[in-house]
Amino acid sequence: MSQVDSEGIEPAVEGPVMEGVRVIETALATLPLSPGVYRMLDAKGDALYVGKARALRKRVYAYTQIARLPERLRRMVHETRSLEVITTASEAEALLLEANLIKRLRPRYNIVLRDDKSYPWLVLTEDHPYPQITKHRGERRKGASYWGPFASAWAVNQTLTALQRVFLLRSCRDTVFDSRDRPCLLYQIRRCSAPCVDRISREDYAGLVAQAKQFLSGETPSIQRNLAKEMEEAAERLEFERAAAIRDRIRGLTHVQGRDRINMEGIGDADVVALHQAAGQTCVQVFFFRGGRNNGNRPYFLSKGDQGAEEVMGAFLAQLYDDLPPPPLVLLSHAPPEQALIAEALSIKAARRVELHRPQRGDKRAAVEHAETNAREALERKLAEGTAQEALLQGVARIFDLPSTPERIEVYDNSHIMGTNAYGVMIAAGPSGFLKQAYRKFSIRSDVKPGDDFGMMREVFERRFGRALKEDPERESGTWPDLVLIDGGLGQLNAAREVLAEMGVHDVPLVAVAKGPDRDAGREWFHRTGCAPFQLPPRDPVLYYLQRLRDEAHRFAITTHRAGRSKSLVKSELDEIPGVGSALKRKLLNHFGSARGVRNAALPDLENAPGIGPAVARKIYEHFHPGMADG
């Protein structure tokens, strides 16, 4: 990696971009002709743009030719104050690194896939005599098989229900499985074979697991044939109850097959990626097919800028598969300019061949057209919602005398129980809806007295705006609010106003939203400094919008408080035991089900717990029962 600044260099061009061009021309003298990735940085060192190149010097030289650049890149060059490069072994590796850096750094002038949701998977825990089938997000672990990805929790839940209905696999946790002495409700409704109470042998359950794997791998026809044969044989032996149970499983399998709306016969694993552009926006729809089944679809929304559909498609694909394993086939609505290079990069990532294909006819083309229709309809809905959102924001500006329509509204709330586990939270919203990436949690420190709501509000504002003044004093990043709403009354408003005044911040509008008589929604009072409190008409759409903002902050505060309280309860029970680390705590919780179960366990039970041992068991027991370990 190398870094070049602009000190002591004569201007190369006249005009507002000469400083950036000067930086780039200085960098050219030391840039290699090898493949790699370059980063344009602003005066603060933040990434403006990330690009990849087959030959770094030749590619970066193009940015000195200002007349040939689009307006977007001219602005980028104008703001550039330094440049960093990383060399790679090939252009394909450079493309993979570029996608990773764009997703991580989110440069202002790149096409950025802003998707912080993880993808759900199905997991089969094969390190147990009776494997469990369940949904999973996050890192993978050994001793399990994973199937997916799925587009949403709804899609994975649908498949999970089908697997339970057809293959009768258990979905309960190991701790629940080990503690049962009679079948649960899922057995009664024929969604589980009840291995927990030996209603099925280990060998027969292993057969169900094998069939489920066949199903997830796309071998549904062979499963149906085998089930039909089993049903006929059971009927011939006059085992009508067993035959009826197998018939229900066949019906469930047929129902699953009929649920897919796109015909992808003959294709095992593939993604269908289609985009639609309108009004400066892009929507990309991705349909995930695994084992020939539709695992659902997900829309992604991007700002189009001056990039065409093909360029957007190329940038999107590289970022989509940065944290997602690419399938063998990706069907596209638009062919990206560097299709062969992207396919090569994805093949390197997948360690097998990945084909990018833009079909022209047949079932594959029909699948792409179906995805394009979904992209167009999703973008139309978003644009319509944006128009309505804009009208609401204009109403907010009118009601609170704002100089312009707010681009960012922040809402603050606190949550605690009798002063314990106190948290303050901030949510943000704008023209595109809730900005969940901007949500913040503030664990209130111990110097605030229990139950002091005003003190809590002061601390939250000191930390939030103290950091804002330190990191963005010129307010150039777009993270300063145009309006602040506080869930509370005049006291909370005054506490927040005093903090901002002490910091020298006098131009951030503050509004406190106080609950009305009997805490009825629709009768809220709005408090502003220097103005009499007022209410809005009960059916005013802007009132509904403000209530929605307040309710979202309240929901986030309650969720944060509950998570923190649960964590502190577990911590108070187990983390205070000397020698009990996170791994040992996890074993205890998995075996006994809860911290209370560990506390109430007898010494022999602790000694027999997996991975504990007599010495540690005695230490744990002595912690909860001082002086009794030897009794």
Side-chain angles (χ1 to χ4, degrees):
M1 180 184 295
S2 63
Q3 182 166 336
V4 186
D5 62 28
S6 59
E7 296 181 1
I9 307 300
E10 293 297 323
V13 297
E14 298 297 331
V17 295
M18 65 178 183
E19 186 76 11
V21 172
R22 218 163 41 187
V23 169
I24 296 171
E25 288 186 336
T26 303
L28 288 173
T30 58
L31 289 184
L33 287 170
S34 58
V37 174
Y38 57 91
R39 283 182 281 180
M40 305 293 192
L41 309 178
D42 63 14
K44 298 178 182 178
D46 296 331
L48 293 168
Y49 185 82
V50 175
K52 62 103 180 94
R54 181 186 306 171
L56 281 166
R57 187 187 304 169
K58 291 182 179 180
R59 181 70 188 92
V60 173
Y61 171 76
Y63 292 101
T64 65
Q65 310 301 300
I66 296 299
R68 301 179 182 179
L69 297 178
E71 180 59 29
R72 172 178 62 93
L73 294 183
R74 289 184 189 180
R75 293 198 304 270
M76 182 270 294
V77 172
H78 167 60
E79 296 180 36
T80 298
R81 291 297 175 270
S82 60
L83 185 144
E84 292 182 350
V85 300
I86 304 173
T87 58
T88 60
S90 67
E91 189 180 9
E93 289 185 15
L95 187 144
L96 293 174
L97 178 59
E98 176 197 39
N100 180 270
L101 290 174
I102 290 174
K103 288 197 72 173
R104 182 158 55 86
L105 301 176
R106 298 185 175 181
R108 193 183 317 162
Y109 292 99
N110 282 97
I111 300 170
V112 179
L113 172 57
R114 300 183 182 275
D115 179 48
D116 54 358
K117 297 179 180 178
S118 61
Y119 297 86
W121 294 70
L122 276 175
V123 58
L124 194 63
T125 58
E126 298 180 332
D127 55 353
H128 192 280
Y130 296 94
Q132 169 205 24
I133 187 79
T134 187
K135 59 184 176 183
H136 172 81
R137 290 183 189 266
E139 295 183 3
R140 301 189 181 190
R141 60 183 179 86
K142 295 181 179 179
S145 296
Y146 292 85
W147 310 86
F150 291 80
S152 64
W154 180 87
V156 75
N157 285 337
Q158 289 287 100
T159 302
L160 182 59
T161 299
L163 287 168
Q164 290 176 320
R165 182 177 177 181
V166 178
F167 303 108
L168 310 178
L169 301 183
R170 72 176 181 98
S171 58
C172 59
R173 298 190 303 272
D174 291 350
T175 52
V176 176
F177 180 90
D178 294 337
S179 63
R180 294 210 65 87
D181 55 11
R182 60 179 180 177
C184 66
L185 178 62
L186 288 177
Y187 175 77
Q188 305 298 333
I189 62 174
R190 297 183 180 179
R191 296 288 176 87
C192 181
S193 53
C196 54
V197 290
D198 299 325
R199 296 297 175 94
I200 184 173
S201 68
R202 185 169 176 176
E203 292 74 18
D204 289 343
Y205 191 86
L208 295 178
V209 171
Q211 288 182 342
K213 287 183 177 180
Q214 283 183 295
F215 169 78
L216 291 168
S217 300
E219 301 177 28
T220 307
S222 62
I223 298 173
Q224 275 189 306
R225 288 193 297 269
N226 292 336
L227 287 176
K229 182 179 179 181
E230 285 185 43
M231 182 178 65
E232 292 173 359
E233 292 175 350
E236 290 176 358
R237 295 193 300 267
L238 304 182
E239 297 175 356
F240 299 116
E241 186 173 349
R242 173 174 167 75
I246 298 174
R247 179 204 60 200
D248 291 342
R249 292 176 60 194
I250 293 174
R251 287 177 177 174
L253 200 58
T254 304
H255 173 74
V256 174
Q257 287 179 292
R259 202 178 64 232
D260 295 345
R261 294 180 56 193
I262 303 179
N263 180 17
M264 293 286 283
E265 186 176 352
I267 295 180
D269 296 347
D271 289 344
V272 180
V273 184
L275 66 79
H276 180 78
Q277 294 183 322
Q281 300 289 321
T282 299
C283 176
V284 184
Q285 279 278 358
V286 181
F287 282 77
F288 300 97
F289 287 85
R290 296 297 182 269
R293 291 179 324 282
N294 183 1
N295 278 4
N297 61 295
R298 180 185 289 190
Y300 304 83
F301 297 98
L302 310 167
S303 295
K304 180 167 76 73
D306 55 5
Q307 296 98 325
E310 290 77 11
E311 184 179 354
V312 172
M313 178 65 80
F316 176 83
L317 289 173
Q319 295 177 55
L320 174 68
Y321 295 114
D322 177 58
D323 56 359
L324 196 66
L329 176 64
V330 182
L331 302 178
L332 306 174
S333 63
H334 297 78
E338 298 178 307
Q339 180 170 320
L341 176 63
I342 297 173
E344 179 187 352
L346 296 183
S347 298
I348 292 174
K349 181 177 178 62
R352 54 166 165 70
R353 184 170 182 268
V354 174
E355 178 186 0
L356 303 183
H357 179 53
R358 183 170 179 260
Q360 302 297 319
R361 61 185 65 86
D363 290 342
K364 294 178 182 178
R365 179 59 199 167
V368 171
E369 289 176 349
H370 180 78
E372 284 183 297
T373 300
N374 277 265
R376 186 191 73 248
E377 292 175 348
L379 185 56
E380 289 172 350
R381 287 193 298 270
K382 182 175 177 63
L383 292 174
E385 292 169 359
T387 302
Q389 184 84 353
E390 181 68 20
L392 290 172
L393 291 173
Q394 290 174 358
V396 170
R398 183 181 66 255
I399 289 169
F400 297 127
D401 301 319
L402 302 181
S404 61
T405 302
E407 293 292 321
R408 180 183 174 106
I409 300 175
E410 292 184 356
V411 191
Y412 292 81
D413 193 10
N414 296 327
S415 182
H416 61 89
I417 293 181
M418 301 299 291
T420 63
N421 301 115
Y423 284 88
V425 300
M426 179 202 83
I427 70 156
S432 61
F434 290 115
L435 309 175
K436 297 200 172 184
Q437 295 174 347
Y439 285 19
R440 294 293 180 268
K441 308 171 185 177
F442 303 87
S443 177
I444 303 301
R445 293 163 182 162
S446 57
D447 54 351
V448 176
K449 294 181 180 179
D452 182 2
D453 288 341
F454 300 157
M456 292 170 62
M457 189 61 65
R458 285 186 60 88
E459 179 178 327
V460 168
F461 270 69
E462 286 172 353
R463 291 163 62 182
R464 158 63 176 122
F465 287 95
R467 183 171 183 176
L469 285 170
K470 180 180 179 181
E471 296 181 351
D472 186 22
E474 302 300 325
R475 308 190 189 185
E476 298 176 344
S477 65
T479 58
W480 278 76
D482 301 307
L483 173 67
V484 168
L485 298 177
I486 303 166
D487 186 12
L490 191 59
Q492 279 88 348
L493 176 67
N494 289 334
R497 181 176 55 81
E498 290 171 4
V499 171
L500 294 184
E502 291 169 2
M503 294 181 174
V505 178
H506 302 283
D507 56 348
V508 173
L510 299 173
V511 177
V513 185
K515 298 177 177 66
D518 301 321
R519 308 174 74 85
D520 285 348
R523 304 178 67 186
E524 290 86 352
W525 285 94
F526 296 90
H527 298 268
R528 296 168 58 199
T529 302
C531 301
F534 65 93
Q535 292 178 302
L536 293 176
R539 297 185 180 180
D540 190 326
V542 177
L543 174 62
Y544 291 146
Y545 176 62
L546 295 172
Q547 287 172 350
R548 200 160 79 241
L549 295 178
R550 190 266 320 276
D551 292 344
E552 172 67 5
H554 187 62
R555 179 204 64 79
F556 188 52
I558 293 297
T559 302
T560 300
H561 171 71
R562 286 175 177 168
R565 184 177 50 167
S566 298
K567 184 178 180 180
S568 68
L569 288 174
V570 173
K571 181 178 179 180
S572 65
E573 293 285 329
L574 300 182
D575 285 6
E576 296 177 1
I577 307 174
V580 174
S582 58
L584 191 55
K585 185 173 70 171
R586 188 179 303 113
K587 292 179 180 179
L588 289 166
L589 292 174
N590 286 340
H591 184 75
F592 292 101
S594 67
R596 179 180 296 180
V598 178
R599 185 181 67 235
N600 295 335
L603 180 57
D605 295 332
L606 289 168
E607 292 175 338
N608 293 328
I612 303 302
V616 177
R618 182 173 292 271
K619 181 184 296 185
I620 296 169
Y621 188 79
E622 178 68 28
H623 176 80
F624 291 115
H625 310 279
M628 297 180 62
D630 297 322

